[in-house]
């Protein structure tokens, strides 16, 4: 089964992708993780990606689709995959179709802008081991200090309020048109994201026809 997860930044796509891969035994392809790895390695691609992500702009289609095309050809994708973070634009969706990438279901996790901003601006990441926290949902035991390794925790630049608002504006302008595109194909499945994580997961399973 080949799936696409849609939703605003912070809607919970990554969390649901992890749960789905455990249930369906297919890999989750997170372009965000792959792009951040490129930034960490300091490659030419990584430098281009960093400039885009720091400003909240979308990474150019050519860069994203090149990464996705390479990844979906790997052996572990033979029985299916989950795309998390791509496509983000109509051009990307059309390009995936032209590449012959078959998509069975497109799951859109819906959340208000206010809820997204609350979730994202509250996120914290350990500067040492990379562990993730949230000041409300999953705070550190000692404020500002990682529970696992004792290193300071910080706010990623792309989780800063101004960047979050810019990312939401970009999302509404560029990505929401995808819902109309996939609705016309009968593949769109809309899910209420303002629920407990497990409830969202169960709604997704029902929407894609997987028994509990």
């Amino acid at each position: 089964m080949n799936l696409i997860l849609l939703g605003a930044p912070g809607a919970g796509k990554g969390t649901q992708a992890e749960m789905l891969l455990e249930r369906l035994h297919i890999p989750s392809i997170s372009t965000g993780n792959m792009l951040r790895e490129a930034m960490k390695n300091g490659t030419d691609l990584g430098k281009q990606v960093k400039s885009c992500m720091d400003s909240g702009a979308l990474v150019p289609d050519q860069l994203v689709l090149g990464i996705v095309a390479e990844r979906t050809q790997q052996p572990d994708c033979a029985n299916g995959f989950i795309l998390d973070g791509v496509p983000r634009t109509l051009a990307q969706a059309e390009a995936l179709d032209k590449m012959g990438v078959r998509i069975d279901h497109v799951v859109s996790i819906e959340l208000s802008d206010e809820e997204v901003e609350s979730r994202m601006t509250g996120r914290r990441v350990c500067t040492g081991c990379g562990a993730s926290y949230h000041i409300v949902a999953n705070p550190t035991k000692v404020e500002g200090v990682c529970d696992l390794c004792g290193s300071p925790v910080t706010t990623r630049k792309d989780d800063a309020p101004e960047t979050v608002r810019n990312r939401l504006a970009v999302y509404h302008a560029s990505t929401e048109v995808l819902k109309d595109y996939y609705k016309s194909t009968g593949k769109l499945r809309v899910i209420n994201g303002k629920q407990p994580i497990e409830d969202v997961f169960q709604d997704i399973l029902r929407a894609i026809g997987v028994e509990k």
Side-chain angles (χ1 to χ4, degrees), residues 94-141:
E94 292 172 340
L96 286 177
D97 286 344
K98 290 178 181 178
M99 289 163 55
V101 178
R102 190 193 83 250
I103 300 299
D104 298 302
H105 301 284
V106 179
V107 176
S108 178
I109 303 174
E110 303 286 311
L111 209 59
S112 70
D113 286 3
E114 292 76 16
E115 182 69 20
V116 168
E117 189 168 343
S118 174
R119 286 187 181 186
M120 294 187 68
T121 58
R123 295 197 297 199
R124 301 291 183 269
V125 179
C126 176
T127 56
C129 67
S132 297
Y133 299 93
H134 191 281
I135 58 176
V136 176
N138 181 33
T140 56
K141 294 176 181 177

Side-chain angles (χ1 to χ4, degrees), residues 21-184:
L21 72 88
E22 290 183 8
R23 178 59 186 270
L24 301 176
H25 307 293
I26 56 177
S28 172
I29 301 175
S30 170
T31 52
N33 288 344
M34 287 189 288
L35 295 175
R36 277 189 281 273
E37 184 66 22
M39 287 194 295
K40 182 179 179 182
N41 293 336
T43 61
D44 288 341
L45 170 62
K47 292 175 183 176
Q48 295 178 60
V49 170
K50 185 177 188 303
S51 176
C52 294
M53 294 186 73
D54 282 352
S55 65
L58 290 177
V59 178
D61 289 355
Q62 185 177 357
L63 298 182
V64 174
L65 295 176
I67 292 173
V68 172
E70 182 177 284
R71 181 67 183 86
T72 57
Q73 292 171 7
Q74 295 182 17
D76 63 338
C77 291
N79 294 321
F81 52 81
I82 303 164
L83 291 183
D84 170 17
V86 66
R88 285 185 174 179
T89 66
L90 183 57
Q92 288 182 2
E94 292 172 340
L96 286 177
D97 286 344
K98 290 178 181 178
M99 289 163 55
V101 178
R102 190 193 83 250
I103 300 299
D104 298 302
H105 301 284
V106 179
V107 176
S108 178
I109 303 174
E110 303 286 311
L111 209 59
S112 70
D113 286 3
E114 292 76 16
E115 182 69 20
V116 168
E117 189 168 343
S118 174
R119 286 187 181 186
M120 294 187 68
T121 58
R123 295 197 297 199
R124 301 291 183 269
V125 179
C126 176
T127 56
C129 67
S132 297
Y133 299 93
H134 191 281
I135 58 176
V136 176
N138 181 33
T140 56
K141 294 176 181 177
V142 177
E143 185 175 351
V145 179
C146 178
D147 295 349
L148 301 179
C149 72
S151 298
V153 298
T154 187
T155 302
R156 286 190 334 198
K157 190 167 183 179
D158 52 342
D159 286 337
E162 289 184 5
T163 305
V164 170
R165 285 190 285 271
N166 189 28
R167 291 176 71 189
L168 281 169
V170 170
Y171 170 75
H172 290 305
S174 303
T175 311
E176 283 204 322
V177 296
L178 290 174
K179 289 191 289 186
D180 290 334
Y181 180 74
Y182 286 117
K183 185 177 181 179
S184 69

